[in-house]
Amino acid sequence: MNLKKLTILPAGIDVLLPAGSPLTEVEYEVQQRPIPFGCRSGSCGACVIEVLDGLASLGEPDPDELDFLEDLGRTGGTHRLACQCRLRGDATVRVADDI
């Protein structure tokens, strides 16, 4: 099985997930809730993350996700909705704490 590493800050948690796994799988791998998932459909903004390393490893955001991030004031391309990402390579993310 091809595992990829997701590092989640500020919790400092490393999670190994099979390549292509949705980031929502994190909830089943660790007891803490390092990423606060809400609706899981990309419409609540609870799971905004800043991608510190490995942006391309999370796949391309679709136009709806980009529009919603813009509505949240998250422009610049380094923020994503974790519920909309799939881990295709190693990545480091920081949970946005100023929403």
Side-chain angles (χ1 to χ4, degrees):
M1 183 181 313
N2 188 4
L3 295 177
K4 303 300 177 188
K5 181 171 82 169
L6 177 67
T7 301
I8 306 166
L9 302 174
I13 294 172
D14 291 331
V15 181
L16 294 175
L17 296 172
S21 293
L23 295 198
T24 52
E25 290 296 308
V26 166
E27 287 188 320
Y28 306 109
E29 299 297 322
V30 295
Q31 295 215 319
Q32 306 97 311
R33 292 192 68 218
I35 300 173
F37 291 105
C39 69
R40 292 177 170 67
S41 64
S43 59
C44 76
C47 65
V48 172
I49 53 172
E50 180 181 7
V51 184
L52 303 177
D53 188 44
L55 187 62
S57 297
L58 300 177
E60 287 293 316
D62 68 25
D64 288 339
E65 180 183 351
L66 291 173
D67 287 347
F68 188 60
L69 286 166
E70 188 174 333
D71 290 346
L72 294 174
R74 302 295 182 159
T75 56
T78 59
H79 288 89
R80 295 289 310 270
L81 298 173
C83 69
Q84 301 300 297
C85 298
R86 289 188 171 270
L87 190 62
R88 295 183 169 91
D90 295 346
T92 300
V93 302
R94 183 175 66 82
V95 176
D97 56 4
D98 57 345
I99 300 289

